[in-house]
Amino acid sequence: MSDLESIRAFVEVVETGGFSRAAARLGVSKSILSRRVTALEADLGARLLSRTTRGISPTEAGLEFKLRAERILADLEEAREAVAQSGESLGGTLRIALPLSFGLRHVQPVLQELALEHPRLKIEAAYSDGLVDLVAERFDVAVRLGVLADSTLVARRIAPILGAVVASPAYLDRRGRPLTPADLADHDAVVQTGMRQGEAWRFQDGKRTITVRPEARFRADNAEAVARAAVAGIGVAMLPTFLAGTFIETGELEPILMGFPIGGDAGLYIVRPPGSPPAKVRILTDRMVERFGGEPYWDSCALRRQEMKAAS
């Protein structure tokens, strides 16, 4: 195992471009990592890394060794997973990238269940609204929302992601309830920045698309912050229903402009690098389909409350 640890240390140093970053990723000290790579070079009788004041880079021998070392580590991981599949639980490490608000609210419970069900499975979850490079950052899988751009990644659509325009009842009592998208010109808005469509809100009126650019009084780069600003009565917000549904059910937010569906074909996706998926990714995907497939629970909850309110 010491040889494998040295090999893994060398690969991480090359991948990350330095001992400090590699040590942080592997969870060991920089000095331990340096000793492992030095021992590997001594064992091989060849210099694998070129160390200069400008940084660290692999030598020609180091590049050749890295290619073969990566195959060894990949074969070892596949062997571990094959054994795990024949046993009662999964093993290894599942590295997953998730969007911040959706990941914490909806996927975190799924990951916790998997961790409890499979004691030998390690989970490393990265929560960010930024788009990560799965291959370069060595993630096994990602959860993504929206409309996916073309790529070589393998994607599976789990469920639709719908949107709703909402505001607090207190705000609407004070400012009035918009009846058409054009009425939003007379309202303050709470807007999420960094979205692909910018700050334009698009509605469907039959076959016609209506585009509105509301006057933003409050901007935030996270949907959770936008939702809480809307709950506080600052203005009208356009939110995904996976976030708005909870506030609609509690009565803190009220959906408006229900007769004008929000345009787009956004979805919830599981995305992974190409190739045969390991068992840990297949089990995660199956659990996501089981939990979120069909009509997601956050939409049905919000819809039931609206039906009850309309009937009262």
Side-chain angles (χ1 to χ4, degrees):
M1 290 303 295
S2 60
D3 288 342
L4 287 172
E5 289 171 353
S6 297
I7 292 171
R8 187 172 284 109
F10 165 73
V11 171
E12 288 292 345
V13 169
V14 176
E15 287 284 340
T16 60
F19 282 94
S20 296
R21 287 188 291 270
R25 179 180 284 186
L26 291 174
V28 299
S29 69
K30 180 180 176 181
S31 60
I32 289 176
L33 207 65
S34 179
R35 285 199 297 270
R36 287 177 180 173
V37 174
T38 299
L40 181 64
E41 289 179 316
D43 183 55
L44 294 173
R47 189 161 58 92
L48 302 177
L49 294 175
S50 176
R51 301 166 176 83
T52 67
T53 56
R54 292 177 295 178
I56 294 173
S57 61
T59 63
E60 185 176 347
L63 286 173
E64 178 65 25
F65 184 77
K66 178 176 178 288
L67 290 174
R68 298 175 184 273
E70 286 175 325
R71 294 177 204 159
I72 292 170
L73 295 175
D75 287 344
L76 177 61
E77 185 65 21
E78 288 184 11
R80 283 176 171 168
E81 291 189 354
V83 172
Q85 290 181 58
S86 64
E88 295 181 355
S89 66
L90 292 177
T93 301
L94 174 66
R95 299 195 73 239
I96 178 171
L98 309 107
L100 183 57
S101 294
F102 184 85
L104 288 173
R105 279 175 167 261
H106 300 289
V107 187
Q108 175 78 10
V110 175
L111 297 179
Q112 291 168 180
E113 288 176 5
L114 291 178
L116 292 172
E117 292 171 11
H118 304 280
R120 296 190 302 105
L121 177 66
K122 297 179 181 179
I123 296 176
E124 296 180 6
Y127 294 88
S128 171
D129 287 332
L131 195 64
V132 302
D133 186 327
L134 296 190
V135 176
E137 299 187 43
R138 300 177 66 183
F139 282 100
D140 297 299
V141 68
V143 174
R144 289 187 178 166
L145 306 173
V147 179
L148 298 185
D150 291 337
S151 75
T152 59
L153 299 175
V154 178
R156 177 168 178 179
R157 185 181 174 99
I158 305 295
I161 293 294
L162 305 178
V165 179
V166 294
S168 72
Y171 172 89
L172 295 173
D173 290 342
R174 185 173 74 249
R175 298 288 297 272
R177 286 164 173 77
L179 300 178
T180 70
D183 294 339
L184 292 174
D186 299 323
H187 287 265
D188 295 328
V190 184
V191 174
Q192 182 175 359
T193 58
M195 303 297 287
R196 181 178 297 178
Q197 71 271 26
E199 294 182 2
W201 294 2
R202 294 181 175 84
F203 302 86
Q204 293 301 128
D205 183 11
K207 294 184 178 181
R208 186 168 65 103
T209 299
I210 302 173
T211 301
V212 176
R213 294 185 179 273
E215 183 67 29
R217 186 170 172 224
F218 187 101
R219 290 181 172 88
D221 64 355
N222 174 259
E224 188 85 35
V226 171
R228 296 194 177 278
V231 168
I234 295 174
V236 177
M238 178 180 284
L239 291 169
T241 53
F242 71 76
L243 183 56
T246 301
F247 297 106
I248 293 171
E249 192 169 12
T250 61
E252 294 173 277
L253 290 176
E254 178 182 326
I256 56 178
L257 300 175
M258 300 291 283
F260 298 89
I262 295 172
D265 189 28
L268 163 63
Y269 293 89
I270 286 282
V271 179
R272 61 174 176 82
S276 178
K280 57 193 175 184
V281 172
R282 292 198 302 271
I283 288 179
L284 172 67
T285 303
D286 290 345
R287 188 64 56 88
M288 293 278 289
V289 171
E290 176 186 320
R291 186 64 55 87
F292 307 125
E295 181 187 43
Y297 57 80
W298 53 78
D299 285 335
S300 58
C301 289
L303 180 59
R304 279 199 303 272
R305 178 173 176 85
Q306 285 308 107
E307 290 174 343
M308 291 169 61
K309 182 177 180 180
S312 61

